[in-house]
Amino acid sequence: MTTTFAIELTAPGGVECFRAATRTLAAPGPGEVRIRHTAMGVNFVDIYQRTGLYPVGEMPAVLGVEGAGVVEEIGSDVHEVAAGDRVAYAGLPLGGYAQARNIPASRLVRIPDAVDDRIAAAAMLRGVTAHMLLRRVFPVGAGTTILVHAAAGGLGLLVTAWAKRLGARVIGTAGSPAKADLALAQGADHVILYREQDFVAEVRRLTEGCGVDFAIDGIGGETLARTLDAVHPFGMVASIGQASGALPDLPLTELGPRRSLAISRPSVFTYAADLPAYRQATKELFGELVAGLPVTIGAELPLARVADAHIMLERGETTGSLLLVP
């Protein structure tokens, strides 16, 4: 057994429900590995879990679904990794907000020598999400035009850069000129300042009235409802979050026949739980990272400042990925 510093969630609610704790880790069981984190990601899904929108079960709980580190010890029947390997992971089970954790070996991916631990931790969940969106939900390639809301966020920047490498035209939205500049630097062809411009009208103008092939929305609320008018007939809308509030009720009559749209509500956790899909996604992700896919780290905070990280993310004060370091 060993002990580790962790941040526990004691009940659903605000950041005041976090507390520092010392946890005891048993020796890794069959198929399990203990890793010592070098970096951990913070994601909007962590906020949904903290507030109770996505229940996490028994409390106290340690949140966190993404990280990188070094294998310290392996249990029996582990063949994927060895002690001393640099590894990263994304998805369930929870447990990332800790200096060390036990995790199924099947979740771990070896980090290539050319990729820094911080980049791996910043890219894993967003990278698997981007693969799900660009490869499974709507195959994106040359000639595809996509709309990416919150294009300066961690996922938005990664999706933008990856879609450009696939040959797509990318229209993004952002809340400030500084965020727009970040998205443009990542390869976006156009960025709409949604606080100053009607994004639907701008998308229609930029596409000569046609609309985009594929729209990715993690904002929810009225933004999702209005996004339907930014997509051309027989296009696709992916709803992947609700940063601004509850998702609207969308009757089928809103999708067609007038608009003739498809809508997807994909879960990266469901995607990552499919091990063949997860392995293919992470293989392609690290291949892209080695080949130069850029990953933006907007801020790094000590693990003890998880509450501050959540506040920054909720207030929209971050760009790129947000990391915790032990």
Side-chain angles (χ1 to χ4, degrees), residues 119-313:
I119 296 298
M124 277 294 290
L125 191 69
R126 294 165 181 86
V128 173
T129 304
H131 188 275
M132 174 186 73
L133 292 168
L134 302 176
R135 295 298 208 189
R136 176 68 65 87
V137 175
F138 191 94
V140 168
T144 306
T145 300
I146 71 173
L147 171 64
V148 181
H149 285 303
L155 177 61
L157 289 172
L158 191 60
V159 166
T160 294
W162 201 335
K164 290 303 297 180
R165 293 170 72 87
L166 293 172
R169 179 189 184 198
V170 179
I171 300 171
T173 67
S176 70
K179 289 186 175 183
D181 288 343
L182 280 174
L184 289 167
Q186 204 80 334
D189 297 279
H190 310 277
V191 179
I192 300 165
L193 298 174
Y194 66 84
R195 291 192 174 101
E196 303 173 12
Q197 301 168 291
D198 181 327
F199 77 82
V200 174
E202 279 297 295
V203 166
R204 290 288 175 180
R205 182 184 68 81
L206 291 167
T207 58
E208 299 180 341
C210 294
V212 299
D213 302 298
F214 181 35
I216 298 169
D217 173 57
I219 307 301
E222 182 63 20
T223 297
L224 176 59
R226 297 197 64 236
T227 296
L228 303 181
D229 285 326
V231 181
H232 70 60
F234 302 102
M236 170 71 79
V237 177
S239 169
I240 55 169
Q242 50 195 88
S244 72
L247 295 174
D249 292 325
L250 290 176
L252 284 175
T253 51
E254 289 296 302
L255 301 180
R258 178 177 68 85
R259 292 188 175 101
S260 296
L261 297 179
I263 190 164
S264 177
R265 177 71 171 150
S267 165
V268 67
F269 292 132
T270 300
Y271 194 59
D274 179 342
L275 284 179
Y278 179 65
R279 291 180 180 128
Q280 183 63 31
T282 53
K283 178 183 177 181
E284 291 190 31
L285 170 63
F286 279 110
E288 292 288 340
L289 292 175
V290 171
L293 178 69
V295 175
T296 301
I297 298 173
E300 296 182 36
L301 296 175
L303 173 59
R305 292 182 59 192
V306 165
D308 292 335
H310 276 232
I311 290 169
M312 292 168 61
L313 198 57

